[in-house]
Amino acid sequence: MTLQELIARHGRRANHSVPDWMLGFWKRHSISFANGMTDLHTHVCWVQSRNFTIDLRLPLEQDQVRPKSLDQYSADELLCLANYEGWCADSDWDGHALRWADTDITLQLHNRWPEPAFLRRTGNCMIEHCPSNIYVEDWRLQASDHGPLVGLRLIEEREVDSGKLRHQGGGLIVCGDYAALTLGRSMPMPTGTQFKALVSAAAAAQDAEHLQQLFNFETSVATSVSAGDYRVMLSTSPQRLGTALFSPDGFDYLADSGQVRHVFTVDGIACERLFEIDTLEAEIHYRQDTPAPASSNTWFEQETPTLGRYLEVLD
C-alpha cells in the first residue's frame, strides 16, 4: 500500500508529544554567538515529529562535495564530507526546555550540540536559547499546505534475499510538503581515542572498506513535487540529491507487532525497512501565525502605518 493508504487505514496520533507549534520543517535563519559573530548561510534543517527530531547541517552548495565513490575523494573533499552533520534523536519537552536523548543516531562520532533548547515562538519565528548562552538560534517554519504528519522510527534496513543488514536506527518524518530520512550505520563505530571526531577517523582511514563503514549513514531532507513523491534537496550523501527520498508504495502494517514494513528496490536489490510508529496523522495545519491577546492585535492594527512599512515573510 502507499503511505497515504497506510495513514488512512492505520492512522493514530501519539499520546505524548511536543507542542503542536513545534511540529514541521524548520530552517535556521541565523545563529549568533557570545563573541558577537553570526552565521546566516549554513544550511540547517530541523524536522520535528511528535517525539523525535531529524537534523541536517551542510555548507552552501558551492562548498559541498560532488557525487563520487568514496575512494575517489581527495583528502580535502573527505574533510569537507566529514564535517557534514546529520542526526536523529528522541526529543522530550518538559514545558520549559527541549532535550534530546543521548542515544541519538548521528553521522558525527561525538555530540556537537550537547545543550538543551529553551524555545519560544512568535509567528513563523522560533527562537532557541541554550543554558550557557554561548549561542542563540533563529528558526523559521517553512511554509506548507496542510497535510500529513508521519513519524516512523527506523529499527533496521535489510536486503530481502540475503538478509544483509544495511542500516540500524534512524527515522522517517513526513510533514506536509516536506520529508526527512535518517539511516544509521549498520554497525556502531569504535569509540577509542582515534575516533573522537569523524574528521580524525576519515583522515586515518586506510582503505575504501573503512571509509564505507564511516560514511554508511544518511540524513536527507526533501520537498514534495507531487502527491507522495518527495525529492531530496539536501543530503549528507551527495549522490542522493534530486532522487526520490523513499518509494511511495510498498508499505505494510504488521498487526501482530504494530510495526510498519516498507519494501522497495535499490539498484535492483529488494530491501525492506522495519519501523516503529511515533505518529500517523492524515492532516496537520502548519500555521505561520501564533495567537496574541486581542489588545496586542488592536495595537498592531493601530500602528500599522509604521509597523507595516516593510513587512515580509522570512523563510
Side-chain angles (χ1 to χ4, degrees):
M1 70 180 81
T2 66
L3 184 59
Q4 288 83 356
E5 290 169 336
L6 177 72
I7 299 169
R9 297 178 190 177
H10 305 286
R12 67 179 71 171
R13 184 190 186 280
N15 293 327
H16 181 72
S17 177
V18 301
D20 283 2
W21 54 260
M22 205 181 294
L23 300 171
F25 173 41
W26 300 82
K27 280 209 74 179
R28 193 177 73 189
H29 178 66
S30 65
I31 183 170
S32 297
F33 296 97
N35 62 8
M37 304 294 285
T38 294
D39 174 8
L40 292 170
H41 303 294
T42 300
H43 287 298
V44 184
C45 305
W46 173 347
V47 187
Q48 185 65 47
S49 182
R50 292 280 177 193
N51 293 288
F52 74 95
T53 303
I54 291 177
D55 185 281
L56 175 65
R57 298 165 187 252
L58 299 176
L60 291 175
E61 282 79 1
Q62 62 265 30
D63 297 322
Q64 296 175 24
V65 298
R66 300 296 175 259
K68 300 179 188 178
S69 61
L70 286 170
D71 58 356
Q72 292 180 326
Y73 283 123
S74 67
D76 286 343
E77 288 172 322
L78 280 175
L79 178 63
C80 178
L81 196 64
N83 266 312
Y84 288 4
E85 295 180 62
W87 52 264
C88 177
D90 286 352
S91 49
D92 181 63
W93 173 253
D94 64 8
H96 303 283
L98 189 69
R99 290 175 169 83
W100 289 274
D102 291 337
T103 54
D104 56 348
I105 307 299
T106 177
L107 173 62
Q108 292 298 320
L109 303 181
H110 69 291
N111 185 358
R112 285 183 164 179
W113 302 93
E115 297 196 60
F118 298 119
L119 300 169
R120 187 166 183 175
R121 178 179 166 184
T122 299
N124 73 339
C125 173
M126 185 167 68
I127 299 298
E128 174 186 351
H129 287 272
C130 63
S132 70
N133 209 34
I134 189 65
Y135 62 81
V136 59
E137 292 181 283
D138 178 346
W139 299 90
R140 301 301 169 116
L141 182 64
Q142 300 301 286
S144 171
D145 285 339
H146 56 85
L149 176 65
V150 173
L152 298 175
R153 290 187 180 91
L154 180 68
I155 301 170
E156 64 180 26
E157 176 187 316
R158 291 184 181 272
E159 295 180 3
V160 173
D161 292 336
S162 69
K164 178 184 176 181
L165 181 66
R166 294 166 59 98
H167 296 283
Q168 286 191 96
L172 171 67
I173 299 176
V174 177
C175 47
D177 293 334
Y178 304 98
L181 175 70
T182 290
L183 303 173
R185 295 179 179 90
S186 59
M187 297 296 291
M189 297 303 300
T191 56
T193 302
Q194 70 270 34
F195 295 115
K196 285 185 177 178
L198 181 60
V199 290
S200 301
Q206 298 297 312
D207 52 48
E209 182 179 354
H210 189 190
L211 284 174
Q212 184 60 43
Q213 291 177 331
L214 285 171
F215 292 102
N216 178 30
F217 182 98
E218 176 187 341
T219 292
S220 297
V221 172
T223 185
S224 175
V225 295
S226 62
D229 186 3
Y230 292 85
R231 296 286 162 163
V232 174
M233 57 182 177
L234 293 167
S235 180
T236 58
S237 301
Q239 69 275 13
R240 290 284 273 136
L241 294 176
T243 66
L245 184 68
F246 60 90
S247 174
D249 54 16
F251 287 91
D252 186 24
Y253 178 74
L254 306 179
D256 290 345
S257 63
Q259 296 170 338
V260 169
R261 180 173 57 201
H262 186 209
V263 179
F264 58 98
T265 301
V266 178
D267 298 328
I269 301 172
C271 300
E272 66 175 14
R273 292 175 184 151
L274 189 63
F275 295 98
E276 291 181 342
I277 298 172
D278 176 40
T279 200
L280 282 175
E281 301 173 56
E283 188 168 293
I284 293 287
H285 290 263
Y286 300 95
R287 297 181 60 95
Q288 295 285 297
D289 60 336
T290 51
S295 58
S296 298
N297 287 321
T298 298
W299 164 81
F300 182 84
E301 294 298 328
Q302 289 175 344
E303 305 301 336
T304 292
T306 52
L307 299 178
R309 283 194 188 103
Y310 310 115
L311 289 180
E312 60 182 307
V313 176
L314 292 180
D315 53 18

